[in-house]
Amino acid sequence: MKRILIIEDEKSLVRFIQLELEHENFFVKVAYDGKSGLHVALTEEWDLILLDLMLPYIDGMEVCRRLREYKSTPVIMLTARDAINDRIQGLDSGADDYIAKPFDIDELFARIRAIFRRVELEERPVRSVLSIRDIAVDPDSRVVTRSGMTIELTKREFDLLIVFLKNPNMVQTRDMLLDQVWGYDSLVETKVVDVYVRYLRHKLDVPGEESIIQTVRGIGYVVRT
Ligand code: CA
């Protein structure tokens, strides 16, 4: 559940936004002035802060400036004054976006979604998809596809395929495969490798076409690009 902090002194507006956000399954907390708002913003973790510009004790710009000395929590500035100056100042003080009151709740939601999308993109690690020919493997999600069709593999089959994809054109002996997939101390016999290669071929290969995993007689197996 995403956590949103509202710092706004206009109680009826706060109540309205809070109900709408809670309806969308956000956890919401409210601070009605700049001083307590800054305190909550700094001492608790938030996914987003909706920050009013005109606030008692410390105004929104100053709250944002002080927050930015410590945290990069996304901030959408709310302001009644729809002046270009406020917008520029708001963004200068470190706000991520700005919305002028009165606003449509759908527009606020659109801005919130845009910010969450951006944060997710920034946080998402770069996926290192392994591929050979038309076979693609995402090691993180463990999704395997051939020509875009998902192929279900067991853990061992998956681990075995990963070894081949990480070492294209390099012949893997049965012992090498055993070490990498089953572990050095494994008491499994090397012929289990043959069994799992057969499973993999059965799931990956296209009938009538040459197998993706080739046998190197007397040595082991190789996947060629
Ligand atoms: Ca206000």
Side-chain angles (χ1 to χ4, degrees), residues 126-193:
V126 179
R127 284 267 169 104
S128 50
V129 172
L130 297 165
S131 66
I132 277 184
R133 294 193 232 169
D134 57 348
I135 294 176
V137 176
D138 184 332
D140 299 323
S141 66
R142 300 180 80 87
V143 170
V144 180
T145 59
R146 176 150 202 188
S147 295
M149 301 282 287
T150 304
I151 295 166
E152 301 287 339
L153 297 183
T154 64
K155 185 188 177 298
R156 286 280 189 231
E157 291 163 357
F158 182 88
D159 293 345
L160 185 59
L161 179 61
I162 289 282
V163 173
F164 284 123
L165 293 194
K166 281 185 173 169
N167 305 283
N169 305 313
M170 287 162 64
V171 177
Q172 304 288 315
T173 66
R174 287 176 180 79
D175 282 327
M176 286 163 74
L177 291 168
L178 206 58
D179 286 345
Q180 292 173 85
V181 178
W182 281 267
Y184 289 96
D185 300 330
S186 173
L187 297 172
V188 180
E189 292 178 63
T190 50
K191 68 183 173 209
V192 82
V193 172

Side-chain angles (χ1 to χ4, degrees), residues 7 18 27 33 35 38-39 41 50-52 59 81 118 126 139 146 155-156 165 169 182 203 219:
I7 309 176
Q18 181 173 15
F27 172 83
D33 66 79
K35 192 160 174 267
L38 180 62
H39 177 75
L50 300 179
L51 177 61
D52 184 30
D59 73 27
R81 295 181 302 169
R118 203 161 69 214
V126 179
R146 176 150 202 188
K155 185 188 177 298
R156 286 280 189 231
L165 293 194
N169 305 313
W182 281 267
K203 291 187 176 180
I219 301 175

Side-chain angles (χ1 to χ4, degrees), residues 24-77:
E24 295 291 320
N25 277 320
F26 291 110
F27 172 83
V28 179
K29 192 167 185 175
V30 180
Y32 295 99
D33 66 79
K35 192 160 174 267
S36 65
L38 180 62
H39 177 75
V40 177
L42 287 173
T43 54
E44 298 175 27
E45 287 305 313
W46 299 98
D47 294 298
L48 176 71
I49 298 171
L50 300 179
L51 177 61
D52 184 30
L53 189 58
M54 302 293 283
L55 287 167
Y57 308 125
I58 308 173
D59 73 27
M61 301 272 188
E62 191 56 27
V63 169
C64 199
R65 247 178 245 121
R66 294 196 202 172
L67 174 73
R68 281 290 172 264
E69 288 173 22
Y70 305 95
K71 289 191 167 190
S72 58
T73 315
V75 171
I76 296 179
M77 200 80 99

